[in-house]
């Protein structure tokens, strides 16, 4: 057993690294799809007549995206805390 951080742990193989990266990309893609679906539905009217966003739509999207990521961070922190508690038990 080593007292130096990082030593004594098994290093992930290349296949494991690739699988982890692919899983992370899938999660990011799913998160972006949820973000697009919820914020576009909330902020953009389906019968738009202009090619550009209005000021109100732009502000709504900005706030929606900010809130979405704030909630995602809180969820991530909660899940990491729960996982740490389970490992400590």
């Amino acid at each position: 057993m080593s007292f130096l951080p990082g030593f004594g742990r098994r290093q992930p193989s290349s296949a494991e690294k690739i699988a982890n990266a692919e899983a992370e990309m899938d999660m990011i893609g799913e998160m972006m799809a949820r973000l697009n679906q919820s914020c576009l539905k909330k902020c953009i009217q389906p019968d738009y007549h202009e090619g550009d966003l209005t000021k109100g739509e732009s502000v709504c999207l900005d706030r929606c995206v900010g809130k979405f990521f704030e909630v995602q961070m809180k969820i991530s922190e909660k899940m990491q805390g729960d996982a740490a508690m389970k490992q400590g038990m």
Side-chain angles (χ1 to χ4, degrees):
M1 179 172 166
S2 177
F3 294 103
L4 298 174
F7 294 103
R9 283 192 234 148
R10 185 181 74 80
Q11 295 295 318
S13 68
S14 292
E16 289 173 327
K17 289 178 183 178
I18 291 170
N20 289 340
E22 288 174 346
E24 187 173 351
M25 290 299 294
D26 288 343
M27 288 184 347
I28 291 170
E30 290 171 8
M31 182 178 69
M32 291 304 296
R34 286 193 315 269
L35 171 71
N36 282 334
Q37 181 182 15
S38 63
C39 290
L40 289 177
K41 183 178 177 181
K42 179 180 179 184
C43 297
I44 309 293
Q45 297 298 320
D47 58 338
Y48 57 91
H49 302 285
E50 298 179 28
D52 295 331
L53 294 173
T54 65
K55 182 166 178 92
E57 290 169 336
S58 180
V59 169
C60 180
L61 284 170
D62 185 51
R63 289 180 181 166
C64 184
V65 169
K67 288 178 184 178
F68 184 90
F69 280 112
E70 184 179 337
V71 168
Q72 291 300 314
M73 290 300 296
K74 287 182 181 182
I75 290 170
S76 177
E77 290 169 1
K78 173 76 171 132
M79 291 177 70
Q80 287 175 359
D82 290 348
M85 278 185 51
K86 285 182 182 180
Q87 286 181 351
M89 292 180 130

